[in-house]
Amino acid sequence: MIKRIVKYILLVVVVFILTFFCHDYFLLNNEMYLPFSLIKVYLFNAIASACIYIAVEFVAEKLPSQAGYAFLASVFLKIGLFVMLFQGTVFAQEALPMFARISLIIPFFLFIIIEAVSIAKLLNAKTF
């Protein structure tokens, strides 16, 4: 269990570093400036992703049949926390430019895909 958690955290850190710097480099090269902090959005998604995986890992250890529900509930909590924490900076403007909207969506979907694939592997390993 600990080995899987450490591997997942390393994966999240590597993906965070690679995608954040590529994303930031692309925005700066094209002189696109965001009304919010891109690093905070990436950090939130990376930390939330690690927390979700760890929580599902513990639930799968104790109640394997409930791990999928734990994942689903934690994703909804992640979305709710994101809206609550970034409400003032992200949702204050009336209309964000398209590149700013995409800059919010990229880290969310990137980390949700990593979570889903990793948790699917975990749940498949727990059922056999």
Side-chain angles (χ1 to χ4, degrees):
M1 177 170 81
I2 299 298
K3 187 176 177 181
R4 285 190 306 259
I5 292 173
V6 170
K7 282 183 181 180
Y8 184 79
I9 290 174
L10 287 174
L11 173 67
V12 166
V13 168
V14 168
V15 168
F16 167 78
I17 290 169
L18 289 175
T19 57
F20 169 72
F21 286 110
C22 288
H23 193 162
D24 194 45
Y25 178 78
F26 175 79
L27 290 174
L28 290 176
N29 264 1
N30 293 310
E31 297 180 2
M32 297 178 187
Y33 301 103
L34 299 173
F36 53 85
S37 171
L38 187 63
I39 186 81
K40 288 181 182 178
V41 173
Y42 269 91
L43 275 173
F44 173 81
N45 282 293
I47 292 169
S49 177
C51 291
I52 287 171
Y53 183 81
I54 292 168
V56 172
E57 181 81 46
F58 281 112
V59 170
E61 192 72 27
K62 301 294 181 189
L63 301 165
S65 64
Q66 302 300 315
Y69 296 119
F71 173 65
L72 185 63
S74 60
V75 168
F76 284 120
L77 284 173
K78 176 182 174 179
I79 294 168
L81 277 173
F82 181 82
V83 169
M84 193 171 70
L85 292 174
F86 291 94
Q87 182 178 13
T89 57
V90 174
F91 302 110
Q93 281 188 319
E94 291 198 16
L96 288 174
M98 184 57 77
F99 70 89
R101 292 181 200 167
I102 292 171
S103 292
L104 284 173
I105 298 298
I106 288 172
F108 177 76
F109 279 115
L110 178 70
F111 287 106
I112 201 82
I113 289 168
I114 293 170
E115 289 168 26
V117 169
S118 298
I119 290 173
K121 283 183 177 180
L122 170 70
L123 295 179
N124 284 336
K126 291 288 183 185
T127 58
F128 294 114

